[in-house]
Amino acid sequence: MSTDNTPVSDKTPQNDTEEKDLTDTLGIPPTYSQNITTVFGAGVPGRRRTNVVRLIVPPEQIGEVDFRDTIDGALVQIIKEVQPDSNVAEIEILMYPSPIGFAIVIDPVPRGIDGRSVGQTEISSFIEGVHQSVQTDVIDAAKSHTDRLGIETGTLNLDPVGISHVSTSRLLLHEDNQIGHESKLDRNPLEKILKSLKENHEPYIYQFIVGGSGGTNNYEGSIRLAPYDPQYTYAGDGGFAELAEKGTPVDLANEYKYLNLTSNHQLDTEEVLETEFDERVDGTIDATVEYNFVTQNQYRTRYHIKNEADELQKLVIGKTEHVGLLSGNASHNVKKYKQHDKYSWFEIDPAQLNLFAKCVPLRMEYNPWKLLRERAAPEFDTRNVVREIKDLKQSKGIGTINAPESPAKMANEGSVGHQSFGKLIRRWFAEQGDSIIIADQNADSLPDLWLLTDDGLIISLNKSVASEIVPVEAECHNISKPAGPIRNAERAYACNQHAVFVYESKSKAKKGCKPLFTPYRDQTDFGVWLYNGKEPITSSDGRTPVAEGASQTTTAIWECDATGTKRLQIGETEFLFEPNESLADGAYEYYHREVSNTHRIEDEDGELIEEYTNDSAFRSNWTKITRPHHPADYHYGQNITVMYRDTETEAGTEELKEYSHRPSWYSQYEVETGTIDKLQVAMENFLDEFVVEAEGEKLPYSGFQEQFRDYCEQWLPIEPPKNSVIGRTLPEYLRDAKKGGTDNRNPYFDEYAFCYPKNKDVVDEIAAEIDIPQSEDFSAPE
């Protein structure tokens, strides 16, 4: 039984002799279950707390209740009674607004095996006995020191708070300091924090983990706060720069600084990082983060400084602390903070417990979790109701499912796995404040999801892009078919949109995004080797050209030169197609036609050569000739973001992370110091990839400059160079080939061209197909 959802009926037979109706057999599972993959170990470790005690402060709607004399100091008394005398290693206290009131969950962690349980004969009851012995002590203390609060036992599930991590603050104490006393303050800091969060309807989880035995030995504690409103989660260099320069309004240290405490958000970063964060009058933000190598010496290399800076950036942003909060791990990051002379697990005098464990009777009026997309309050499965509060709903059930309700209806909706991946992507972005919807697939080619930016800002990534609507692609099955992602990138390119590509793993992102940055397979003596498209060529009479050879081993190799001439090699056959010549009109030797489920192989005149009634027999002997994918541009990296699904995180959760795709020459670029020297490295590789000698051709200098700027935008973390700078990076042979044009205007490179002409026709064709949603199509959270 749970107290947070709909009732669950108990239909267990009352005794073994109860009559059971066995006349009806069980039916077949739904058809879509054949497409579902079972994964062992896919749960989120550490997100559940079993055998815990929950205290519930009833909401305001239940009526006036005076708690001043009934619960003041209650949590401190529970800690003092349970921690030293029981078999308890530490106690975790979690506080958060829940759907039925303000919740305080107490999780006593047993120190070891209680001798009273040694006689148990079953593992389940043996372990249960260990936990129940300490849980009973918590219940007794809670009953003694609280009145008018609901008390329950059960299991806490933190999964509903989300799959993406939030910036979490953790209190730190400098190694030379001691915690101050409450007498210095006008009000308890925890009480001020919790009341401020309530007044502003903030969803959050506050965590206090306390260990030690108290008394003269003191306690040890760890304190965290995770706010779940997306505005308090910081991402990327821009988010880090904002935290470093401005801080965050929901930092625990803002209230606890008067007691000599600071937080991870306020760690000193100046020694290894230089940050700037400026908000302009027009609302735009200029944020920069650069490494600071001022401390570099023979023992402290740039490599070490970079590693230290990257680790420090993670600590300050605080998402790794959310990992520790969800798993209940007080030792998380302890050693890393010690390197900065800070303690995150520090001594607390018994008289100071009230600073971190005050029982604040918050009377909730609303459920702030309902303001969020996808995230929800933690769920609590109630095992026993120890103290029932009149009019308080303390018996609700749980049940969530993330699988599609039915198989895909449209061919381009993809498999159940693809749809589930799309739902994961939607949830990750929505949790962090982005408006995102799954595209309603139809017969047209559409992205998997649409994201509405906030004035050009993708909130989850803290990234500004040049389009209001951003297509998001769940790349599940296109790794071995590069033309698919290229086509998706071209769809965004045709609509002047930024696009996000999300792959199932980091290795798949590395492989899958390569054609997005260089959209041809390789260079050949003819020109460039194009990727094959998805669709076979269809002639004007409806037949498909085929070549002899099994489809699994026979490959059509399409090449294109600087003029647009294409060459097809398949088996021992070779065809040439002049620029703009229709591929359907080639003089192919063999054609395929399917008539009444029979595969006919015909010659050019329609005479029957062979016939097959079996699909596999046909594919074992013949290969349909597919179209080449002639790209609309030379690269798309400047207008895309590549991400991947990371399932091997510290907390065992699934996260989406941005993938940084670097070219092989990037290390050489980093070694150079001057701006021109760096850009010459980029220019050299740009020319190798995209510019060729071509007799009779003229490469316009303006188009060359524009393409090089896009190339720099794709690969380099700097503003694209201006024309005057580009000219200084040209190699000598190109300077010699540069001609002035008519009246010394419209200069060009004589006898040079791009390695293939852009396929401009496909851009107009794609743009005409797409129905882009409007901002009103993105609904607000319910």
Side-chain angles (χ1 to χ4, degrees):
M1 178 174 69
S2 166
T3 62
D4 287 346
N5 281 320
T6 55
V8 178
S9 61
D10 184 4
K11 296 187 179 179
T12 306
Q14 298 301 309
N15 54 64
D16 293 337
T17 60
E18 182 174 332
E19 256 191 325
K20 300 173 184 175
D21 183 4
L22 299 177
T23 55
D24 293 328
T25 59
L26 299 175
I28 188 170
T31 54
Y32 66 78
S33 61
Q34 295 174 336
N35 299 318
I36 295 176
T37 301
T38 299
V39 181
F40 290 138
V44 182
R47 284 195 170 198
R48 286 172 175 78
R49 312 287 198 270
T50 58
N51 297 290
V52 300
V53 177
R54 177 166 76 160
L55 309 180
I56 306 169
V57 180
E60 283 198 0
Q61 291 89 324
I62 287 185
E64 291 296 327
V65 183
D66 186 0
F67 292 101
R68 284 176 297 177
D69 299 326
T70 59
I71 66 169
D72 191 37
L75 291 179
V76 171
Q77 292 303 316
I78 292 171
I79 292 170
K80 288 182 175 181
E81 290 183 15
V82 174
Q83 186 82 10
D85 301 329
S86 300
N87 187 39
V88 174
E90 61 188 34
I91 294 175
E92 179 187 23
I93 297 174
L94 297 170
M95 304 182 189
Y96 58 91
S98 82
I100 61 171
F102 182 62
I104 303 171
V105 173
I106 305 171
D107 181 17
V109 181
R111 189 180 304 279
I113 302 303
D114 191 327
R116 290 170 292 179
S117 302
V118 173
Q120 302 290 346
T121 57
E122 294 184 13
I123 284 291
S124 59
S125 58
F126 177 72
I127 296 173
E128 195 72 18
V130 174
H131 286 276
Q132 283 187 356
S133 65
V134 295
Q135 186 188 68
T136 300
D137 292 331
V138 174
I139 293 171
D140 291 343
K143 289 165 67 176
S144 174
H145 297 291
T146 69
D147 191 13
R148 306 188 182 99
L149 296 188
I151 303 177
E152 302 173 347
T153 64
T155 298
L156 178 71
N157 179 12
L158 295 176
D159 283 348
V161 303
I163 57 174
S164 59
H165 293 300
V166 300
S167 295
T168 300
S169 66
R170 183 174 188 177
L171 288 180
L172 306 175
L173 180 68
H174 193 279
E175 62 179 2
D176 295 329
N177 283 346
Q178 289 184 335
I179 300 173
H181 284 268
E182 192 172 358
S183 58
K184 296 181 179 180
L185 306 175
D186 60 342
R187 206 166 94 190
N188 181 282
L190 179 58
E191 183 176 5
K192 290 177 71 174
I193 287 170
L194 296 182
K195 286 190 174 181
S196 293
L197 293 169
K198 173 185 177 290
E199 289 167 5
N200 292 288
H201 310 296
E202 300 286 3
Y204 65 89
I205 296 177
Y206 170 81
Q207 179 196 59
F208 176 44
I209 300 177
V210 58
S213 58
T216 57
N217 296 325
N218 289 339
Y219 294 96
E220 289 181 303
S222 168
I223 300 94
R224 297 183 178 103
L225 176 69
Y228 288 93
D229 188 315
Q231 66 175 311
Y232 306 126
T233 292
Y234 300 84
D237 284 351
F240 172 72
E242 183 177 0
L243 262 178
E245 296 294 322
K246 293 180 58 181
T248 173
V250 289
D251 187 351
L252 284 170
N254 293 348
E255 288 293 343
Y256 282 95
K257 61 186 176 183
Y258 306 106
L259 299 170
N260 299 328
L261 290 163
T262 182
S263 79
N264 56 311
H265 291 327
Q266 299 183 16
L267 289 170
D268 184 13
T269 62
E270 292 182 357
E271 189 175 280
V272 291
L273 288 162
E274 294 178 348
T275 57
E276 289 184 14
F277 184 84
D278 296 315
E279 295 178 84
R280 299 193 183 98
V281 178
D282 62 0
T284 58
I285 291 173
D286 183 21
T288 59
V289 178
E290 294 179 350
Y291 294 114
N292 184 358
F293 297 109
V294 68
T295 59
Q296 179 183 351
N297 55 43
Q298 59 180 328
Y299 305 108
R300 185 173 164 80
T301 65
R302 294 167 72 94
Y303 173 80
H304 291 117
I305 292 172
K306 281 184 177 181
N307 280 351
E308 182 181 326
D310 292 344
E311 203 59 55
L312 180 58
Q313 194 166 348
K314 291 178 185 177
L315 292 176
V316 172
I317 285 180
K319 292 185 179 180
T320 59
E321 283 304 333
H322 190 244
V323 174
L325 183 148
L326 294 178
S327 61
N329 186 353
S331 63
H332 197 69
N333 289 332
V334 165
K335 291 182 179 179
K336 295 176 182 177
Y337 290 123
K338 210 167 182 181
Q339 293 172 1
H340 299 275
D341 302 324
K342 302 289 191 301
Y343 292 116
S344 55
W345 179 248
F346 45 78
E347 276 197 2
I348 300 173
D349 187 276
Q352 297 168 329
L353 281 176
N354 200 50
L355 294 170
F356 313 107
K358 184 174 178 63
C359 192
V360 183
L362 295 183
R363 306 295 305 283
M364 303 302 298
E365 303 169 72
Y366 306 99
N367 178 5
W369 296 91
K370 293 203 169 196
L371 294 172
L372 304 182
R373 295 183 176 94
E374 297 295 337
R375 297 190 193 274
E379 290 172 342
F380 195 83
D381 282 329
T382 303
R383 181 170 184 176
N384 292 307
V385 177
V386 178
R387 180 191 291 149
E388 190 170 352
I389 300 297
K390 185 181 178 183
D391 299 325
L392 185 65
K393 296 179 180 178
Q394 289 178 265
S395 58
K396 290 188 175 182
I398 63 172
T400 57
I401 187 166
N402 193 38
E405 293 180 3
S406 60
K409 296 184 179 68
M410 297 296 300
N412 51 346
E413 271 189 345
S415 66
V416 171
H418 182 268
Q419 292 179 72
S420 186
F421 188 36
K423 287 190 172 186
L424 172 76
I425 294 169
R426 182 192 65 186
R427 181 177 179 184
W428 189 88
F429 278 97
E431 282 178 2
Q432 297 175 84
D434 283 307
S435 297
I436 185 168
I437 56 175
I438 293 179
D440 186 13
Q441 297 293 337
N442 51 41
D444 298 326
S445 173
L446 289 174
D448 297 305
L449 304 98
W450 294 105
L451 184 147
L452 175 66
T453 63
D454 182 6
D455 289 330
L457 179 70
I458 301 177
I459 299 171
S460 302
L461 306 177
N462 196 21
K463 185 170 191 172
S464 295
V465 297
S467 59
E468 182 187 22
I469 305 294
V470 173
V472 181
E473 301 289 352
E475 294 293 350
C476 281
H477 308 299
N478 283 330
I479 308 304
S480 60
K481 300 176 181 178
I486 296 175
R487 178 78 174 181
N488 293 339
E490 287 176 344
R491 182 174 54 229
Y493 172 78
C495 300
N496 295 314
Q497 294 172 331
H498 191 87
V500 176
F501 290 78
V502 188
Y503 290 85
E504 287 188 295
S505 67
K506 188 174 184 178
S507 61
K508 289 182 178 180
K510 180 180 180 180
K511 181 179 179 181
C513 73
K514 180 182 177 295
L516 299 175
F517 289 76
T518 306
Y520 61 81
R521 190 182 295 273
D522 206 347
Q523 294 181 346
T524 68
D525 57 352
F526 183 84
V528 295
W529 180 4
L530 300 175
Y531 288 109
N532 287 352
K534 295 200 244 179
E535 301 299 325
I537 296 170
T538 303
S539 62
S540 55
D541 60 7
R543 297 188 298 172
T544 300
V546 291
E548 286 187 275
S551 58
Q552 290 187 334
T553 57
T554 307
T555 303
I557 298 176
W558 285 98
E559 298 164 281
C560 184
D561 69 7
T563 67
T565 299
K566 292 185 177 68
R567 180 172 73 179
L568 167 64
Q569 296 181 81
I570 185 164
E572 298 181 359
T573 306
E574 181 177 302
F575 299 96
L576 278 179
F577 296 86
E578 295 299 318
N580 301 318
E581 181 182 352
S582 172
L583 302 183
D585 297 333
Y588 301 102
E589 189 173 358
Y590 302 107
Y591 292 82
H592 167 262
R593 187 200 305 273
E594 189 169 352
V595 180
S596 300
N597 297 322
T598 298
H599 299 278
R600 288 174 53 92
I601 304 301
E602 303 172 349
D603 64 14
E604 188 175 0
D605 298 325
E607 293 295 323
L608 179 65
I609 305 297
E610 289 184 11
E611 198 171 60
Y612 302 89
T613 57
N614 183 280
D615 291 345
S616 59
F618 162 67
R619 288 194 298 269
S620 297
N621 291 277
W622 297 91
T623 299
K624 292 182 179 180
I625 300 177
T626 57
R627 290 181 173 276
H629 188 90
H630 186 161
D633 202 357
Y634 299 113
H635 37 74
Y636 306 97
Q638 69 276 15
N639 295 317
I640 66 172
T641 295
V642 178
M643 303 185 71
Y644 65 95
R645 177 187 197 172
D646 186 4
T647 58
E648 298 180 0
T649 60
E650 292 177 89
T653 58
E654 294 186 2
E655 294 181 51
L656 300 187
K657 294 183 177 178
E658 197 165 348
Y659 179 74
S660 179
H661 186 50
R662 294 296 189 200
S664 58
W665 50 264
Y666 193 78
S667 57
Q668 183 186 355
Y669 166 86
E670 285 189 303
V671 169
E672 300 294 344
T673 54
T675 300
I676 299 301
D677 293 335
K678 284 179 172 289
L679 287 174
Q680 282 177 336
V681 174
M683 176 62 75
E684 179 183 346
N685 286 277
F686 170 72
L687 296 174
D688 286 346
E689 289 183 53
F690 296 108
V691 177
V692 296
E693 293 185 69
E695 185 177 351
E697 296 294 314
K698 296 178 180 180
L699 175 55
Y701 188 43
S702 59
F704 176 89
Q705 290 172 318
E706 180 183 352
Q707 209 61 53
F708 181 65
R709 270 192 293 272
D710 285 349
Y711 187 78
C712 290
E713 189 177 354
Q714 168 176 275
W715 291 123
L716 306 181
I718 59 172
E719 288 292 318
K722 296 180 179 178
N723 289 348
S724 58
V725 175
I726 293 175
R728 295 167 62 190
T729 66
L730 294 176
E732 199 63 37
Y733 71 87
L734 270 190
R735 293 181 187 181
D736 294 340
K738 186 179 174 185
K739 306 299 181 184
T742 306
D743 297 329
N744 208 31
R745 287 195 248 171
N746 302 319
Y748 60 89
F749 296 113
D750 196 25
E751 306 289 324
Y752 283 91
F754 286 121
C755 53
Y756 60 84
K758 292 182 181 181
N759 185 4
K760 296 179 180 179
D761 293 340
V762 73
V763 174
D764 297 333
E765 181 184 318
I766 293 172
E769 293 178 353
I770 303 300
D771 183 18
I772 301 172
Q774 303 301 308
S775 57
E776 55 266 23
D777 296 326
F778 295 80
S779 59
E782 297 178 358

Short mmCIF file of all heavy atoms in Angstrom, two decimals, residues 521-542:
data_model
loop_
_atom_site.label_atom_id
_atom_site.label_comp_id
_atom_site.label_asym_id
_atom_site.label_seq_id
_atom_site.Cartn_x
_atom_site.Cartn_y
_atom_site.Cartn_z
N ARG A 521 32.11 9.67 -48.02
CA ARG A 521 32.81 8.55 -47.41
C ARG A 521 34.33 8.71 -47.47
O ARG A 521 35.03 8.50 -46.47
CB ARG A 521 32.39 7.25 -48.10
CG ARG A 521 32.85 5.98 -47.40
CD ARG A 521 32.43 4.75 -48.20
NE ARG A 521 30.99 4.61 -48.26
CZ ARG A 521 30.25 3.99 -47.36
NH1 ARG A 521 30.82 3.48 -46.28
NH2 ARG A 521 28.96 3.89 -47.50
N ASP A 522 34.85 9.10 -48.64
CA ASP A 522 36.30 9.18 -48.80
C ASP A 522 36.60 9.94 -50.10
O ASP A 522 35.69 10.22 -50.90
CB ASP A 522 36.91 7.78 -48.85
CG ASP A 522 38.35 7.74 -48.40
OD1 ASP A 522 38.96 8.84 -48.27
OD2 ASP A 522 38.88 6.64 -48.18
N GLN A 523 37.88 10.23 -50.33
CA GLN A 523 38.32 10.83 -51.59
C GLN A 523 38.91 9.74 -52.48
O GLN A 523 39.56 8.81 -52.00
CB GLN A 523 39.34 11.93 -51.32
CG GLN A 523 38.76 13.12 -50.58
CD GLN A 523 39.78 14.21 -50.35
OE1 GLN A 523 40.98 14.01 -50.50
NE2 GLN A 523 39.31 15.39 -49.99
N THR A 524 38.68 9.86 -53.79
CA THR A 524 39.18 8.88 -54.76
C THR A 524 39.87 9.61 -55.90
O THR A 524 39.86 10.85 -55.97
CB THR A 524 38.03 8.03 -55.32
OG1 THR A 524 37.19 8.87 -56.15
CG2 THR A 524 37.18 7.43 -54.21
N ASP A 525 40.43 8.86 -56.81
CA ASP A 525 41.08 9.49 -57.96
C ASP A 525 40.06 10.16 -58.88
O ASP A 525 40.39 11.04 -59.66
CB ASP A 525 41.90 8.45 -58.75
CG ASP A 525 41.04 7.28 -59.22
OD1 ASP A 525 39.86 7.19 -58.82
OD2 ASP A 525 41.56 6.42 -59.98
N PHE A 526 38.79 9.77 -58.76
CA PHE A 526 37.73 10.37 -59.58
C PHE A 526 37.19 11.64 -58.93
O PHE A 526 36.85 12.61 -59.60
CB PHE A 526 36.61 9.36 -59.79
CG PHE A 526 35.49 9.85 -60.68
CD1 PHE A 526 35.60 9.76 -62.07
CD2 PHE A 526 34.35 10.42 -60.14
CE1 PHE A 526 34.58 10.21 -62.88
CE2 PHE A 526 33.33 10.88 -60.95
CZ PHE A 526 33.45 10.78 -62.33
N GLY A 527 37.05 11.62 -57.61
CA GLY A 527 36.45 12.74 -56.88
C GLY A 527 36.23 12.35 -55.44
O GLY A 527 37.18 12.04 -54.71
N VAL A 528 34.97 12.30 -55.03
CA VAL A 528 34.65 11.84 -53.68
C VAL A 528 33.72 10.64 -53.77
O VAL A 528 32.89 10.54 -54.68
CB VAL A 528 33.99 12.95 -52.82
CG1 VAL A 528 34.96 14.10 -52.57
CG2 VAL A 528 32.70 13.45 -53.43
N TRP A 529 33.85 9.76 -52.81
CA TRP A 529 33.02 8.56 -52.73
C TRP A 529 31.82 8.91 -51.87
O TRP A 529 31.94 9.17 -50.68
CB TRP A 529 33.83 7.43 -52.13
CG TRP A 529 33.11 6.12 -51.97
CD1 TRP A 529 31.86 5.81 -52.38
CD2 TRP A 529 33.64 4.93 -51.35
NE1 TRP A 529 31.53 4.52 -52.05
CE2 TRP A 529 32.62 3.95 -51.42
CE3 TRP A 529 34.85 4.62 -50.74
CZ2 TRP A 529 32.80 2.67 -50.89
CZ3 TRP A 529 35.02 3.33 -50.22
CH2 TRP A 529 34.01 2.38 -50.30
N LEU A 530 30.64 8.93 -52.47
CA LEU A 530 29.42 9.33 -51.78
C LEU A 530 28.84 8.17 -50.97
O LEU A 530 29.08 7.00 -51.27
CB LEU A 530 28.37 9.79 -52.80
CG LEU A 530 28.73 10.99 -53.68
CD1 LEU A 530 27.62 11.21 -54.71
CD2 LEU A 530 28.96 12.24 -52.85
N TYR A 531 28.07 8.53 -49.93
CA TYR A 531 27.31 7.52 -49.22
C TYR A 531 26.11 7.11 -50.07
O TYR A 531 25.57 7.92 -50.85
CB TYR A 531 26.81 8.07 -47.89
CG TYR A 531 27.89 8.26 -46.85
CD1 TYR A 531 28.32 9.53 -46.48
CD2 TYR A 531 28.47 7.15 -46.24
CE1 TYR A 531 29.31 9.69 -45.52
CE2 TYR A 531 29.46 7.30 -45.28
CZ TYR A 531 29.88 8.57 -44.93
OH TYR A 531 30.86 8.73 -43.99
N ASN A 532 25.70 5.86 -49.92
CA ASN A 532 24.50 5.40 -50.63
C ASN A 532 23.25 5.87 -49.90
O ASN A 532 23.20 5.89 -48.67
CB ASN A 532 24.49 3.88 -50.73
CG ASN A 532 25.50 3.37 -51.75
OD1 ASN A 532 26.10 4.15 -52.47
ND2 ASN A 532 25.70 2.07 -51.78
N GLY A 533 22.24 6.22 -50.67
CA GLY A 533 20.97 6.62 -50.08
C GLY A 533 20.16 5.41 -49.66
O GLY A 533 20.61 4.26 -49.71
N LYS A 534 18.92 5.67 -49.24
CA LYS A 534 18.06 4.57 -48.79
C LYS A 534 17.21 3.99 -49.91
O LYS A 534 16.85 2.83 -49.88
CB LYS A 534 17.13 5.09 -47.69
CG LYS A 534 17.86 5.53 -46.43
CD LYS A 534 16.93 5.56 -45.28
CE LYS A 534 16.54 6.61 -44.54
NZ LYS A 534 15.67 6.68 -43.50
N GLU A 535 16.85 4.84 -50.85
CA GLU A 535 15.87 4.43 -51.87
C GLU A 535 16.56 3.91 -53.13
O GLU A 535 17.54 4.49 -53.61
CB GLU A 535 14.97 5.61 -52.24
CG GLU A 535 14.18 6.18 -51.08
CD GLU A 535 13.24 5.15 -50.47
OE1 GLU A 535 12.71 4.33 -51.25
OE2 GLU A 535 13.06 5.17 -49.25
N PRO A 536 16.03 2.80 -53.71
CA PRO A 536 16.56 2.34 -55.00
C PRO A 536 16.13 3.27 -56.13
O PRO A 536 15.14 3.99 -56.01
CB PRO A 536 15.94 0.96 -55.15
CG PRO A 536 14.70 1.00 -54.32
CD PRO A 536 14.99 1.93 -53.19
N ILE A 537 16.89 3.25 -57.19
CA ILE A 537 16.53 4.04 -58.38
C ILE A 537 15.29 3.43 -59.02
O ILE A 537 15.13 2.21 -59.09
CB ILE A 537 17.70 4.05 -59.38
CG1 ILE A 537 18.92 4.76 -58.77
CG2 ILE A 537 17.30 4.72 -60.70
CD1 ILE A 537 20.18 4.60 -59.59
N THR A 538 14.40 4.28 -59.48
CA THR A 538 13.20 3.81 -60.18
C THR A 538 13.14 4.48 -61.54
O THR A 538 13.17 5.72 -61.63
CB THR A 538 11.92 4.15 -59.39
OG1 THR A 538 12.01 3.57 -58.08
CG2 THR A 538 10.70 3.59 -60.09
N SER A 539 13.09 3.68 -62.59
CA SER A 539 13.04 4.24 -63.95
C SER A 539 11.64 4.75 -64.26
O SER A 539 10.69 4.53 -63.51
CB SER A 539 13.47 3.18 -64.96
OG SER A 539 12.57 2.08 -64.92
N SER A 540 11.51 5.42 -65.39
CA SER A 540 10.23 6.04 -65.75
C SER A 540 9.12 5.02 -65.95
O SER A 540 7.94 5.33 -65.80
CB SER A 540 10.40 6.88 -67.03
OG SER A 540 10.94 6.08 -68.07
N ASP A 541 9.46 3.76 -66.25
CA ASP A 541 8.43 2.73 -66.43
C ASP A 541 8.16 1.95 -65.14
O ASP A 541 7.47 0.93 -65.16
CB ASP A 541 8.82 1.78 -67.57
CG ASP A 541 10.14 1.06 -67.32
OD1 ASP A 541 10.69 1.20 -66.19
OD2 ASP A 541 10.63 0.36 -68.23
N GLY A 542 8.74 2.41 -64.01
CA GLY A 542 8.47 1.78 -62.73
C GLY A 542 9.40 0.65 -62.35
O GLY A 542 9.30 0.11 -61.25
#
